Amino acid sequence: MERQVAAVRRFNRTVTQRIGALDDAYMARARPLAQARLLWEIGPGGAEVAALRARLGLDSGHLSRLLRALEGDGLVTVGPSDRAGDDARVRHARLTDAGRAEWTELDERSDRFAQSILEPLAGPHRERLVAAMAEVERLLVSSMVVIEPCPPGDPRARACVRAYAREVARRFDDGFDPALSSPVDDADLTPPAGLFLLATLNAEPVGCGAVKLRPDAPAEIKRVWVAGTVRGLGVGRRLLAELERHAAQRGRRRVRLDTNRNLTEAIALYRSAGYREVEPFNTERYAHHWFEKRLAPRVER
Amino acid sequence: MERQVAAVRRFNRTVTQRIGALDDAYMARARPLAQARLLWEIGPGGAEVAALRARLGLDSGHLSRLLRALEGDGLVTVGPSDRAGDDARVRHARLTDAGRAEWTELDERSDRFAQSILEPLAGPHRERLVAAMAEVERLLVSSMVVIEPCPPGDPRARACVRAYAREVARRFDDGFDPALSSPVDDADLTPPAGLFLLATLNAEPVGCGAVKLRPDAPAEIKRVWVAGTVRGLGVGRRLLAELERHAAQRGRRRVRLDTNRNLTEAIALYRSAGYREVEPFNTERYAHHWFEKRLAPRVER
DNA sequence: CAGGATTCCTGACTAAAGTCAGCTTTATGG
DNA sequence: CCATAAAGCTGACTTTAGTCAGGAATCCTG
């Protein structure tokens, strides 16, 4: 671990600092960095002011002033949304022609900067750098995924469950009709009857998982799903572990689940997480495999 | 190439930006970021003011003021070097006990930050991240190596040649006595009689190479050396290519060199760069292999 | 439709960063 | 020993960044 920490620190120092500083220098033209970044973030398609504030993490007053500055330079116009019926409080920033030209310039500079990094390297090294960068990026992204309890009625939770249903419908041999599957009630996934976990990346939902805690039955895990964009990065495993931890904490000694034979990664995950296949314990229409795992009793924490 | 540029840009954006910002946040305690960075950079061993200025890229006035601020807080003392005989204009910054305590705190924060990146990842992913980070770092470092012509009498050039002699003395079966080797005159490596190239990383010399251009003989390459810290990153290949380019530009159609059998990486490099082994063309005491390469005639540029 | 919540804006600041000219002290090369 | 250069300091700025309290317009909810 110590060695790993040292490696991460060295990386932060050389890469983050140096590249970061250079990137800023390339970005800032005659303009203050914050303005350049904002212009960039608005982009050719325009953006809502609220979204910009969230993405750049700026104070509302500060952002307003930056927008006024860009407006003053004739690069941006800020006005209400063009679609009628939209919330008229929400304002929309758009690039003018001059702004678009400036944006293109920034885009090209960014390209040139990336090229200047690749250019001194010989072909194979170049390919290795790109591959390693992609790997770092993927893994860092996955380490930024946050998992927390969430009411199953939350819109983000609903979005995940819908995505889950869509995917399952695509992958099951005979499609998926929710009406034929045993239904799950929101109340069963709300503490203390159960728990729904939501995985988010930068506040965007990217996964979910739930556990049902019936009074004197084994805990039952449902709806473990991970978005394609972060699959293969251990998010599923983290969700599962978190659900098991919760069940153990609530005194359950066993946890079980059923799954479809086409969900091969899920089955692999369950096996490698210590689940053993058992006889069917329900009559779920779409299930082919039933798993169970014994939990070590855990102290309340 | 386009795909690679896009990958680098995505990396710059997500990794550099996010990690960079977080790193700053961890670094800055109650103190302004620039002060914290400076304190960190001074380190437990102290540092010369000029070195700090170079490393942090700060204006002399700005740095002075930052030092005064840290001095005012009792964290740093600035005075002349402790060794007698040193240049008394050069001032040396040292941490006080309080400053050392603060430094330790920053060090621990940096550790904690690195841990917070690793912690959400499962073991194997963690190892992959560390490996990928190391790879990115090495390759980026290599892409920051600058190769340029340099007078062979320059102190940095001399340092490289000394390092070359030391290494060669260690690796040759029978040591290396410069007196027994055919001597190379500085004048032969100075334009137009020849060329000496220096490879530097952040202004530190990390490699060299030279070519001798006798009037009507093939160009002869000498003293290609790369420091251990950047070996395996294509610096040797770049040096070689640059020397060949120069020879071609000066009208030479062939370039040759001799080498010792123990310099296996060098031999592999020459072969893969298109050199073919030829009969001995000189009586160099330490040479076992003689190589030659035909150059494509190149237009002046 | 009243009252509260949202969204964005402005005014009035403070803090930090960065710039530049000129000064003092110390080295160095004839 | 003198002229010149180099290292670092101070004073006197300007520019950016960031904060916070209110205020107008718009929306939502009962």
Side-chain angles (χ1 to χ4, degrees):
Chain A
M1 182 69 177
E2 209 169 302
R3 172 186 61 82
Q4 295 178 321
V5 165
V8 172
R9 286 185 57 175
R10 218 169 30 248
F11 176 87
N12 285 354
R13 196 178 154 80
T14 43
V15 178
T16 268
Q17 217 95 283
R18 281 240 164 61
I19 301 282
L22 280 177
D23 197 41
D24 286 357
Y26 266 76
M27 188 89 266
R29 243 150 82 80
R31 197 169 306 293
L33 182 57
Q35 276 182 39
R37 256 195 215 314
L38 174 56
L39 181 77
W40 171 260
E41 207 63 47
I42 293 172
E48 292 183 353
V49 172
L52 293 170
R53 202 165 45 229
R55 260 185 278 166
L56 293 165
L58 293 175
D59 170 84
S60 142
H62 190 21
L63 175 59
S64 254
R65 237 171 291 274
L66 291 172
L67 284 170
R68 286 308 82 70
L70 290 175
E71 243 176 354
D73 290 355
L75 301 171
V76 162
T77 57
V78 179
S81 165
D82 21 339
R83 279 202 311 276
D86 276 10
D87 188 332
R89 292 169 304 182
V90 182
R91 310 242 290 159
H92 205 83
R94 278 178 218 81
L95 297 181
T96 63
D97 286 348
R100 224 181 312 276
E102 181 89 14
W103 186 90
T104 305
E105 170 67 24
L106 288 180
D107 191 54
E108 277 164 11
R109 292 187 143 232
S110 210
D111 262 8
R112 279 202 298 276
F113 177 51
Q115 271 162 14
S116 79
I117 288 175
L118 290 171
E119 190 255 309
L121 295 175
H125 286 144
R126 209 176 273 186
E127 199 43 61
R128 275 169 53 197
L129 177 62
V130 168
M133 279 183 163
E135 175 103 334
V136 168
E137 194 198 337
R138 267 174 73 80
L139 289 164
L140 277 184
V141 161
S142 94
S143 100
M144 286 161 55
V145 170
V146 174
I147 291 177
E148 27 179 35
C150 166
D154 185 290
R156 295 168 306 168
R158 292 268 188 253
C160 280
V161 173
R162 266 199 308 276
Y164 169 76
R166 261 201 311 279
E167 173 164 355
V168 143
R170 212 185 60 241
R171 297 184 60 182
F172 287 3
D173 297 321
D174 44 357
F176 177 68
D177 178 357
L180 299 180
S181 179
S182 42
V184 184
D185 203 5
D186 277 1
D188 288 342
L189 306 182
T190 306
L195 182 70
F196 189 94
L197 290 180
L198 184 69
T200 54
L201 172 60
N202 300 322
E204 289 291 307
V206 293
C208 65
V211 62
K212 235 161 63 175
L213 299 167
R214 288 247 194 66
D216 28 58
E220 190 172 349
I221 284 181
K222 310 287 288 180
R223 297 182 166 167
V224 174
W225 173 78
V226 174
T229 48
V230 295
R231 211 160 283 179
L233 298 176
V235 175
R237 190 175 299 270
R238 280 169 65 194
L239 281 165
L240 205 55
E242 223 15 60
L243 292 171
E244 291 167 10
R245 205 177 63 72
H246 184 74
Q249 197 179 326
R250 301 292 307 283
R252 300 310 191 279
R253 304 295 302 272
R254 290 186 302 160
V255 56
R256 56 196 199 180
L257 55 85
D258 62 71
T259 191
N260 185 280
R261 67 180 159 222
N262 286 8
L263 302 179
T264 48
E265 329 85 295
I267 293 174
L269 168 61
Y270 298 141
R271 287 195 199 283
S272 91
Y275 284 76
R276 286 179 323 112
E277 187 150 8
V278 294
E279 290 302 302
F281 55 78
N282 65 18
T283 56
E284 162 63 38
R285 161 81 170 73
Y286 294 102
H288 301 104
H289 299 280
W290 289 259
F291 287 98
E292 180 175 299
K293 178 180 182 176
R294 295 190 173 278
L295 302 176
R298 177 102 43 134
V299 286
E300 195 87 16
R301 72 161 183 183
Chain B
M1 183 69 177
E2 209 170 302
R3 172 187 60 83
Q4 295 178 322
V5 165
V8 172
R9 286 186 58 173
R10 216 167 34 244
F11 176 87
N12 285 354
R13 196 178 153 81
T14 41
V15 178
T16 267
Q17 216 95 283
R18 281 244 162 60
I19 302 279
L22 282 176
D23 197 40
D24 286 357
Y26 266 76
M27 195 52 115
R29 245 151 81 79
R31 197 168 306 293
L33 182 57
Q35 279 182 38
R37 255 194 214 314
L38 174 56
L39 181 77
W40 170 259
E41 207 63 45
I42 292 172
E48 292 183 355
V49 172
L52 293 171
R53 201 166 44 230
R55 258 186 280 166
L56 293 166
L58 294 175
D59 169 83
S60 145
H62 190 20
L63 175 58
S64 253
R65 240 172 288 275
L66 290 172
L67 283 171
R68 287 307 81 72
L70 290 175
E71 244 177 351
D73 290 354
L75 301 171
V76 162
T77 58
V78 178
S81 166
D82 22 338
R83 279 202 313 275
D86 276 10
D87 189 332
R89 289 170 305 184
V90 181
R91 311 243 289 160
H92 205 85
R94 279 178 216 79
L95 298 180
T96 62
D97 286 349
R100 227 181 309 277
E102 181 89 14
W103 186 90
T104 307
E105 169 67 23
L106 288 180
D107 192 53
E108 279 163 10
R109 291 184 147 235
S110 211
D111 263 7
R112 280 203 297 276
F113 177 51
Q115 271 162 14
S116 79
I117 288 174
L118 290 171
E119 192 253 307
L121 295 175
H125 287 143
R126 211 176 272 185
E127 199 43 63
R128 275 170 52 197
L129 177 62
V130 168
M133 279 183 162
E135 174 104 334
V136 168
E137 194 200 338
R138 269 174 68 80
L139 289 165
L140 277 184
V141 161
S142 93
S143 100
M144 286 161 55
V145 170
V146 174
I147 292 177
E148 18 175 43
C150 166
D154 185 289
R156 296 169 305 169
R158 292 268 187 251
C160 280
V161 173
R162 268 199 308 276
Y164 169 75
R166 262 201 313 278
E167 173 163 355
V168 142
R170 212 185 60 239
R171 297 184 60 181
F172 286 4
D173 297 322
D174 45 356
F176 177 67
D177 178 357
L180 299 180
S181 179
S182 42
V184 184
D185 204 6
D186 276 2
D188 288 342
L189 305 183
T190 307
L195 182 70
F196 189 95
L197 290 180
L198 183 70
T200 53
L201 172 60
N202 301 321
E204 289 291 306
V206 293
C208 65
V211 62
K212 233 160 63 175
L213 299 168
R214 288 246 196 69
D216 28 60
E220 190 174 347
I221 284 181
K222 312 285 289 179
R223 296 180 167 169
V224 173
W225 172 79
V226 174
T229 47
V230 294
R231 211 161 283 178
L233 298 177
V235 176
R237 190 175 298 270
R238 279 169 65 194
L239 281 165
L240 205 54
E242 216 26 52
L243 292 170
E244 289 167 10
R245 204 176 63 74
H246 184 73
Q249 198 178 326
R250 302 292 307 286
R252 299 309 191 278
R253 304 294 304 270
R254 289 187 302 160
V255 56
R256 56 196 199 182
L257 55 86
D258 62 71
T259 191
N260 185 282
R261 67 178 158 227
N262 287 8
L263 301 180
T264 48
E265 328 85 297
I267 292 174
L269 168 61
Y270 298 141
R271 286 196 200 282
S272 91
Y275 285 76
R276 287 178 324 112
E277 188 150 9
V278 294
E279 290 302 302
F281 55 79
N282 65 17
T283 57
E284 162 63 37
R285 162 81 170 74
Y286 295 102
H288 300 107
H289 299 280
W290 289 259
F291 286 97
E292 180 175 300
K293 177 179 183 176
R294 295 191 172 277
L295 302 176
R298 179 99 45 132
V299 286
E300 195 87 15
R301 74 159 182 185

